[in-house]
Amino acid sequence: CKKAAVTQEKLTKAIKTVSEEEDRGKNLMIFGFKEDKGESLTDEVDEQFSSVGEKPCVSDCVRVGTTSEKEISTVRPVKVIMRSSDAVYQLLRKSGKLRGLENYKSVFFSPDR
């Protein structure tokens, strides 16, 4: 019966790994998006998405990393958590349109891999 316990453990680990990969598929990273004090990150991200003709359901938006007073000029990436991986795929397909807009020339989208 010990062999069955090991198999159950391996199965649990495999399910957990697949679940984590699927969750990361719902994430989108945005690089080069300027950072302002008191910013409404969700509203600004929605505005970006609207400029490429998309209006996906965003679960959460957070800046990744920390800043110090010395590094106030650095721009931290934004992690956007979507409700579906299909929305991430659609945005990545249309992200090239952003570079044609003056305000977003330095903004790049990337999957969270």
Side-chain angles (χ1 to χ4, degrees), residues 19-95:
S19 175
E20 288 172 357
E21 287 176 8
E22 187 175 304
D23 286 345
R24 289 187 74 186
K26 296 177 183 178
N27 298 344
L28 178 72
M29 300 296 290
I30 303 175
F31 297 92
F33 192 54
K34 71 176 186 156
E35 191 168 350
D36 297 322
K37 287 191 178 227
E39 66 186 357
S40 173
L41 199 54
T42 305
D43 292 341
E44 291 183 30
V45 167
D46 281 342
E47 182 181 320
Q48 258 191 352
F49 294 159
S50 295
S51 65
V52 293
E54 289 291 319
K55 189 69 176 158
C57 292
V58 175
S59 296
D60 197 12
C61 295
V62 292
R63 290 272 178 189
V64 178
T66 59
T67 60
S68 65
E69 294 299 320
K70 296 176 191 174
E71 299 175 337
I72 201 73
S73 65
T74 60
V75 179
R76 296 180 293 165
V78 176
K79 178 179 179 181
V80 181
I81 303 167
M82 306 286 205
R83 297 211 177 161
S84 77
S85 57
D86 292 335
V88 172
Y89 177 71
Q90 289 294 336
L91 283 166
L92 287 171
R93 283 186 40 209
K94 293 186 175 184
S95 66

